[in-house]
Structures are given as C-alpha cells and as structure tokens.
Amino acid sequence: MSASSFLKALKAEGLTVVQVGDWRDHNRNHKGPWGPVHGVMIHHTVTKGSARTVDICRKGYEGLPGPLCHGVVTKDGRVHLVGYGRANHAGLGDDDVLRAVIAERALPRDNEANTDGNRHFYGFECENLGDGDDPWPAAQLEAIERAAAAVCRHHGWNERSVIGHLEWQPGKVDPRGFTMSSMRNRIRDRLK
C-alpha cells in the first residue's frame, strides 16, 4: 500500500488524521527492507501528553531513532501519521507468531525473538502510561479499532492479522489496559 493509499484508507474508515511533517518519506528503510507486510501491531507509549507523545514517536530518542511507528493514536481518538516505511516499533519477535499472522490463525505463545518485525508490521503507538491504571477513552479505543480495520480492509486481512507487541516479543506487556482478544473482536465486527 502506498503512503497515499494508507492515508485514504484511514480517512475512509472515518478517522481524524493529522499529517506530521514529511511523514510519507520519514522511515528507516536504509536499515533494511520494509515488506512484505503481513499485519498490524498495537503498542502503548508509556508517555503522557499528546504533543510530547507524537514528537517522541516521530523523532525517537537516544538509542532508538524514529519513526517509532506509522501512526500515533492519541487519547482524543486522532491518528497522527509520523512515518511510512520501515519504523522502529516491533523489534525482533517470534517467527511462529509471524506464520500464524500470515495464516490468520490463533497465535502461539511467543517464546523467542528471531525475526525482524519492523519489516513485516504496520505499527500504531497509542498514548497511554501503560501502567494498567491510565484510562483508555472510548474515542481512543474506537480509533485503534478503526485504524487496524482500515489496514486490514485494504489488504483483505481479517482481525487475526492484528496483534499486540506483547504477543510478538517475549517480555513485552503492551498494550496494557485492554486485551488484544477484545480489540480483535471489535475489528472483526467492524470488518463485517
């Protein structure tokens, strides 16, 4: 999917989209290929404040240059596009999980980190402290659902192509505060 198609798909799903800087050309493609892309990965940011969160996800931080995702879903339900192409969001994860995503079947437990996820997943970082107490407003959960559904709809994928970072890489806990099972159910219903 081209950057223009990505933007069009998100808007067609009813999302409010904010384009940040040169997001279409802001990527880490010089570090390796992006694609084939097989799914969507959901994260939480461990940050507070939309402007700060978007800035960190666009620029990165010491030791992890941006972009850290393709879109940032803020508490108000807006999707801020910060990059397109390879992004530093997934890291190494489990090849068995990737095979399950490609086959759109139930996920195995992630127990190894041997496969480059930055190559194979669209990434959405979602503004949240990730402590299990920071609330997930209804508008934000709906935006996560719509953003993931938009990408799935474009590619002809079902909800099993959407995973959380915690399902990909051992030791990760994000997103924390809702279950990926409940989010996949929402995405499934939206795709019907």
Side-chain angles (χ1 to χ4, degrees), residues 75-77 135-146 183 186:
K75 295 264 189 189
D76 60 6
W136 290 92
Q140 187 180 28
L141 290 172
E142 184 175 331
I144 296 166
E145 167 195 329
R146 286 177 183 265
M183 183 54 67
R186 292 174 67 138

Side-chain angles (χ1 to χ4, degrees), residues 36 38-39 94-104 107-108 115-116 120-121 163 168:
H38 297 296
D94 194 316
D95 61 338
D96 294 326
V97 172
L98 180 60
R99 281 191 286 277
V101 168
I102 292 168
E104 295 183 318
L107 297 176
T115 301
D116 176 10
H120 295 295
F121 289 94
I163 67 172
W168 171 246

Side-chain angles (χ1 to χ4, degrees), residues 52-83:
R52 178 173 174 266
T53 297
V54 170
D55 190 57
I56 289 170
C57 290
R58 176 173 164 56
K59 295 177 183 171
Y61 50 86
E62 189 175 336
L64 191 66
L68 304 184
C69 60
H70 300 98
V72 182
V73 183
T74 50
K75 295 264 189 189
D76 60 6
R78 294 184 298 164
V79 178
H80 303 255
L81 300 182
V82 296

Side-chain angles (χ1 to χ4, degrees), residues 6 36 39 84 102 175 190:
F6 182 56
Y84 200 74
I102 292 168
R190 177 162 294 280

